[in-house]
Amino acid sequence: MKRFTCLIGATMLLAMLTAAPISSQQLPPGVKVQVVQQFSPSVFPGAKSVTQFLFTLEPGARLDDFSPPGLNICTALAGAAKVTLKDGKTVTHKAGDTWIEEKGVPFSIVNEGKVTFVDSFVQIVY
């Protein structure tokens, strides 16, 4: 039992350390990122890490000039948020939408609604 507990603790520590590129960034008020699950990178040949996150953006909150450290495969679960790319293009993601965020492509995101925006995404870091 003691070995199992140590294994669980080591696994959780590994998940937190490999999730550091996104979760350690200074986030503004109303923006939260939580690690949901760490997958084996062997699922994607050449990947350093594969992690599922839950991103929440409270009404009125915004995150400016964010550059994903990996490829993000996203699905909005609730609410809506407006995304503005560096080239000025904007798109609104709402509950049920699925999209991909490319590594290193900066964007800003804001929740202009009255409902918390929730995004579940898998990040693949190569």
Side-chain angles (χ1 to χ4, degrees), residues 40-72:
S40 169
S42 65
V43 173
F44 294 91
K48 292 179 185 172
S49 67
V50 180
T51 309
Q52 181 182 9
F53 293 93
L54 194 63
F55 172 81
T56 57
L57 194 63
E58 297 293 329
R62 66 181 307 120
L63 179 61
D64 289 314
D65 296 318
F66 177 75
S67 294
L71 176 75
N72 294 343

Side-chain angles (χ1 to χ4, degrees), residues 55-93:
F55 172 81
T56 57
L57 194 63
E58 297 293 329
R62 66 181 307 120
L63 179 61
D64 289 314
D65 296 318
F66 177 75
S67 294
L71 176 75
N72 294 343
I73 303 168
C74 309
T75 301
L77 303 178
K82 184 171 83 172
V83 175
T84 304
L85 300 173
K86 279 293 188 187
D87 65 5
K89 287 185 183 177
T90 63
V91 63
T92 299
H93 297 301

Side-chain angles (χ1 to χ4, degrees), residues 4 7 25 30-31 37-38 40 48 69 87 99 109 118 125:
F4 180 72
L7 179 62
Q25 292 185 9
V31 179
Q37 185 174 3
Q38 181 73 37
S40 169
K48 292 179 185 172
D87 65 5
W99 67 98
I109 183 168
V118 181
V125 176

Side-chain angles (χ1 to χ4, degrees), residues 102-116:
E102 295 182 51
K103 175 185 176 179
V105 177
F107 63 89
S108 295
I109 183 168
V110 61
N111 181 347
E112 297 175 336
K114 295 180 180 178
V115 176
T116 299

